[in-house]
Amino acid sequence: MELGKGGFPKEATDPKTLTYNTYLKVPELLSLQKRLSEPPAHDEFLFIIIHQVYELWFRLITFELEVITKNVADKRLPDAFRGLDRVLEIFGVLVQQIDVLETMSPTDFNKFRGKLNPASGFQSLQFRTFEILSGADIADYDKFSGLEPEWKDELATLGAKMSLRGAFLTLLKKEGLSTADLKRVYEDEKLQLLRTLCEYLIRYDEQIQLWRFRHVQMVERMIGMKMGTGGSLGATYLRSTLKKRFFPELWDARTEMETSY
Ligand code: HEM
């Protein structure tokens, strides 16, 4: 087969034959929603599509994150802010999408849930990638069951890359500051740009925590206190993740800030 631009088959890139459908690979995309239930449960279609949509957004987020991280480390902050604006807007969509999933009732979910075992969001490599590129400690991931062995290698490779948290700490260091100086960043007018970055990063933590909270709330609404298909304690496990923050020092700095009376 003759290949054209970007390794696409020639007819797919030739302006004479290029269409919306060939460019976006719509037929391929629409062939990917295969229900496991028999006869097919109505809501399994929603369940598959919503997860696939999440995975596509995770793909874009991790793609943007690598560029944002580099821009932060190199102090190109206006460029970093543009990327963060995009990622924060996507987070908003991720949180809102849970409302769509909640149009499914627990009884409708139970019609196909048994077929999913032992598949689980636990195994979303892209979600783990996002957490690690944000700043989660790779050591926390050893305990995860259900990860394919080759994914463990991939996560270890990711762990060696600079994370957004790592870039933030690097930038502070370049400016002669450390996380112990964050209160000063908020008080010193000369450090305004850095303060704007801190506000973006605290929103970043806030948005992902919001997603975690909406997810566990939805999980409890669907399955109560049942165990997860991935083998965890379900809502009990998910509630334990609500405290996770990538920039805890930014939150701690609030406690240290002085109140005027
Ligand atoms: C009916 C809908 C859903 C239910 C009942 C559900 C349930 C669960 C449960 C119980 C867990 C804990 C791990 C386990 O034992 O399986 C989990 C983890 C997870 N789920 Fe869902 N989930 C649902 C929808 C979604 C959607 C739409 C996404 C989007 C990608 C998602 C992403 C995740 C992720 C990333 C984790 C890992 C979280 C972590 O370890 O911090 N889930 N889910």
Side-chain angles (χ1 to χ4, degrees):
M1 184 193 304
E2 210 187 334
L3 293 182
K5 242 190 277 172
F8 280 89
K10 197 144 181 44
E11 71 275 8
T13 55
D14 185 340
K16 288 202 267 332
T17 47
L18 183 69
T19 68
Y20 175 89
N21 292 301
T22 58
Y23 175 59
L24 297 171
K25 301 202 174 296
V26 178
E28 289 90 330
L29 196 60
L30 301 187
S31 71
L32 300 175
Q33 294 74 40
K34 300 269 188 284
R35 283 178 276 184
L36 277 181
S37 53
E38 199 50 68
H42 183 91
D43 283 19
E44 193 180 354
F45 206 46
L46 163 72
F47 187 82
I48 293 171
I49 289 177
I50 208 150
H51 279 85
Q52 289 182 341
V53 169
Y54 267 106
E55 288 293 333
L56 283 175
W57 282 128
F58 289 158
R59 183 153 193 202
L60 186 61
I61 289 177
T62 52
F63 172 78
E64 298 288 351
L65 206 46
E66 295 209 39
V67 180
I68 295 168
T69 297
K70 191 138 194 354
N71 282 331
V72 169
D74 297 344
K75 210 187 171 185
R76 285 189 297 271
L77 293 186
D79 290 337
F81 297 160
R82 262 203 303 280
L84 281 163
D85 275 329
R86 178 170 299 169
V87 167
L88 289 168
E89 289 297 335
I90 298 172
F91 276 153
V93 173
L94 297 189
V95 172
Q96 222 184 2
Q97 253 179 221
I98 290 182
D99 295 343
V100 181
L101 196 52
E102 284 183 336
T103 61
M104 174 172 78
S105 74
T107 38
D108 289 332
F109 183 42
N110 281 327
K111 286 182 186 143
F112 63 91
R113 181 173 188 242
K115 297 278 182 211
L116 307 177
N117 247 326
S120 155
F122 235 174
Q123 299 152 345
S124 169
L125 179 60
Q126 292 209 99
F127 186 73
R128 298 296 170 225
T129 302
F130 154 74
E131 289 188 302
I132 289 166
L133 289 181
S134 298
D137 189 348
I138 189 88
D140 291 344
Y141 291 88
D142 279 352
K143 60 179 181 289
F144 282 110
S145 57
L147 281 185
E148 312 281 336
E150 62 270 27
W151 288 8
K152 285 201 167 185
D153 294 344
E154 204 163 314
L155 291 181
T157 314
L158 277 170
K161 288 193 180 180
M162 184 177 281
S163 65
L164 184 57
R165 173 177 173 75
F168 175 57
L169 300 181
T170 303
L171 179 62
L172 286 179
K173 205 166 161 192
K174 274 190 197 163
E175 299 294 303
L177 300 163
S178 77
T179 47
D181 300 311
L182 287 172
K183 181 172 161 273
R184 230 186 81 208
V185 171
Y186 275 81
E187 287 165 357
D188 188 341
E189 275 312 306
K190 290 194 290 302
L191 300 174
Q192 205 179 25
L193 205 59
L194 215 48
R195 184 170 69 228
T196 306
L197 175 65
C198 291
E199 289 298 276
Y200 269 104
L201 297 181
I202 206 144
R203 246 188 90 205
Y204 189 95
D205 260 352
E206 213 172 34
Q207 286 289 79
I208 184 64
Q209 276 185 304
L210 213 55
W211 181 82
R212 289 187 201 277
F213 178 69
R214 283 296 287 118
H215 174 258
V216 63
Q217 216 180 23
M218 177 273 295
V219 168
E220 214 176 317
R221 181 170 164 171
M222 294 294 167
I223 63 168
M225 299 311 283
K226 283 187 191 133
M227 277 181 72
T229 49
S232 82
L233 287 176
T236 306
Y237 157 72
L238 291 168
R239 288 208 184 279
S240 76
T241 68
L242 292 179
K243 289 194 215 89
K244 283 191 181 180
R245 285 170 173 169
F246 300 118
F247 305 99
E249 300 86 353
L250 284 175
W251 296 87
D252 293 343
R254 268 62 188 169
T255 316
E256 292 157 27
M257 288 177 197
E258 277 146 39
T259 313
S260 336
Y261 294 96

